[in-house]
Amino acid sequence: MKKIIASFFVISSVLSPLVWAKQVNLYSARKEALIKPLLDKFTEETGISVNLVTGKADNLITRLAKEGKYSPADLLLTTDVGRLYRAKQQGLTQMVSLTDAVASVPSNFRDSQGHWIGLSMRARPIMVSSEKFDTSAIKNIEDLIKPEWKGRICIRSSNNIYNQSMIASLISQLGVEQTEIWVNNLVRNFARPPQGGDRDQIKAVASGQCDVAIANTYYLAGMLTSDDETTRAQAQKIKVVWPNQSDRGAHINISGVALAKHAPNAKAASKLIDFLLKAQSQQWYAMTNHEYPILPNIAWSDVLENFGDFKMEQVPLVQLGELNAEAVKVMDRAGWK
């Protein structure tokens, strides 16, 4: 009996790596419906199963930190480079192998040390009521602090990472002093205390609670393609304004993926990263999720095409993470709740 038991453990120790290599444990801030079809296709093509754990972005980072070396996570998929930067700074990630697929990602959309890779791009322009304004009424984001916009702007709270990264981007380009002047005046022009998410800001413009919102195009596109008729009708009242097209361009960010520090299935996880960077996966982001592909020469959805082409900022995305703390301080001093 002892020999049988000993033999069992020897066989288990030999087989274990093979068994583990056929799966990937993915912590995803992206909702299941927005990622699972891609994961199913990956499993179909490779035979590697994906165990999907979804949750709020910040909660997943906290979970990774608490689990430490005992974490089963192989990959962290999340939105905003600020969060990817934070995970790296907390020592929760490791370098991803520089495969041909990873190398194809423009350098600004991946960490210089290989700790995170962009998968899709999001833009955060200005949105106005198409019933009240010609889009030429606003040329630059600086225009939003003019006295005529007092009591007319809706935007979500300062604890939102999208807004923090937007302010960090302004600090990178304009400096702290000029950014602080802009933020102070923007807050004075708020139509109401910040509340809700990006969709709520869009709905507020549609209902006339405010005239201008700042939101990610991803949310407007989702509303325009919603199964709910009321939601579609609200979104159809909105026009996208691409600011600063004659100078630095509109603010952009990414969703991306990082390899967990203690990933038990690192090789399989690397294969999943490569798959998510394939043309077919990039097409999925653009056509189904209405996000801008991270790779060039991938067609956009009709909804994105209707928003129009635009010039984007050229800020090194890593600076959005590096300047996050300063951005939060600027927002706090301005009374941005």
Side-chain angles (χ1 to χ4, degrees):
M1 182 59 70
K2 289 181 179 179
K3 289 182 179 179
I4 293 174
I5 293 174
S7 298
F8 171 78
F9 281 113
V10 169
I11 293 172
S12 296
S13 65
V14 171
L15 291 180
S16 181
L18 298 177
V19 174
W20 278 99
K22 293 183 179 180
Q23 69 175 359
V24 175
N25 301 314
L26 173 63
Y27 283 10
S28 173
R30 193 181 287 277
K31 293 180 180 179
E32 182 173 346
L34 300 179
I35 188 65
K36 195 167 188 309
L38 276 180
L39 302 180
D40 289 343
K41 183 67 175 175
F42 170 73
T43 298
E44 180 184 326
E45 289 188 9
T46 65
I48 300 172
S49 63
V50 181
N51 303 313
L52 179 63
V53 175
T54 59
K56 292 185 177 181
D58 293 333
N59 291 346
L60 291 174
I61 292 176
T62 299
R63 176 172 176 172
L64 263 178
K66 288 183 176 179
E67 290 173 342
K69 65 180 181 180
Y70 301 107
S71 177
D74 294 301
L75 294 174
L76 172 68
L77 195 159
T78 191
T79 55
D80 201 281
V81 71
R83 291 191 176 106
L84 292 164
Y85 176 85
R86 188 186 309 159
K88 177 186 175 182
Q89 292 303 107
Q90 292 182 22
L92 304 178
T93 63
Q94 61 174 299
M95 184 173 64
V96 176
S97 299
L98 187 62
T99 61
D100 289 342
V102 171
S104 71
V105 176
S107 59
N108 192 36
F109 297 135
R110 52 188 167 94
D111 177 53
S112 61
Q113 295 178 325
H115 280 246
W116 49 263
I117 311 295
L119 297 177
S120 64
M121 187 176 69
R122 293 179 171 188
R124 193 167 184 77
I126 297 167
M127 299 185 187
V128 301
S129 168
S130 59
E131 298 176 340
K132 293 183 179 181
F133 300 103
D134 186 306
T135 54
S136 63
I138 301 173
K139 296 290 187 182
N140 301 312
I141 199 169
E142 287 89 342
D143 294 337
L144 297 183
I145 67 172
K146 292 179 178 179
E148 58 260 39
W149 296 106
K150 186 174 178 62
R152 301 170 70 182
I153 297 173
C154 282
I155 191 167
R156 64 199 294 178
S157 75
S158 62
N159 65 14
N160 172 250
I161 190 70
Y162 303 152
N163 285 337
Q164 292 172 6
S165 289
M166 181 180 70
I167 301 307
S169 179
L170 287 176
I171 292 173
S172 173
Q173 297 170 96
L174 305 179
V176 174
E177 183 178 346
Q178 287 301 311
T179 300
E180 188 143 16
I181 291 171
W182 183 84
V183 172
N184 283 328
N185 285 285
L186 183 75
V187 170
R188 294 191 186 103
N189 285 349
F190 284 177
R192 63 180 186 182
Q195 55 190 270
D198 277 14
R199 287 185 179 88
D200 296 301
Q201 316 314 313
I202 295 168
K203 291 176 181 178
V205 172
S207 67
Q209 295 179 53
C210 47
D211 296 325
V212 178
I214 296 177
N216 287 355
T217 53
Y218 164 85
Y219 294 103
L220 179 60
M223 292 174 68
L224 286 167
T225 56
S226 171
D227 293 332
D228 182 72
E229 185 177 348
T230 301
T231 300
R232 291 199 307 274
Q234 291 171 324
Q236 288 164 2
K237 295 180 179 180
I238 306 299
K239 281 286 187 181
V240 171
V241 177
W242 295 108
N244 301 91
Q245 294 303 283
S246 63
D247 48 43
R248 64 179 181 273
H251 176 60
I252 56 102
N253 208 306
I254 61 169
S255 68
V257 66
L259 181 63
K261 176 70 173 179
H262 303 287
N265 309 294
K267 289 184 178 179
S270 180
K271 289 182 180 179
L272 178 54
I273 292 173
D274 285 357
F275 177 83
L276 294 174
L277 291 170
K278 280 188 173 182
Q280 64 181 9
S281 300
Q282 291 289 300
Q283 197 76 70
W284 165 268
Y285 292 130
M287 296 298 177
T288 306
N289 293 352
H290 306 290
E291 295 178 70
Y292 296 97
I294 211 81
L295 300 180
N297 304 318
I298 303 293
W300 297 356
S301 69
D302 289 342
V303 176
L304 293 180
E305 289 285 357
N306 287 336
F307 291 160
D309 200 2
F310 65 98
K311 177 183 178 180
M312 68 181 72
E313 291 176 337
Q314 297 300 311
V315 177
L317 288 187
V318 68
Q319 291 186 8
L320 307 189
E322 293 171 346
L323 295 170
N324 177 270
E326 190 63 52
V328 172
K329 290 176 184 177
V330 167
M331 298 164 90
D332 285 347
R333 287 196 293 265
W336 187 335
K337 302 299 182 184

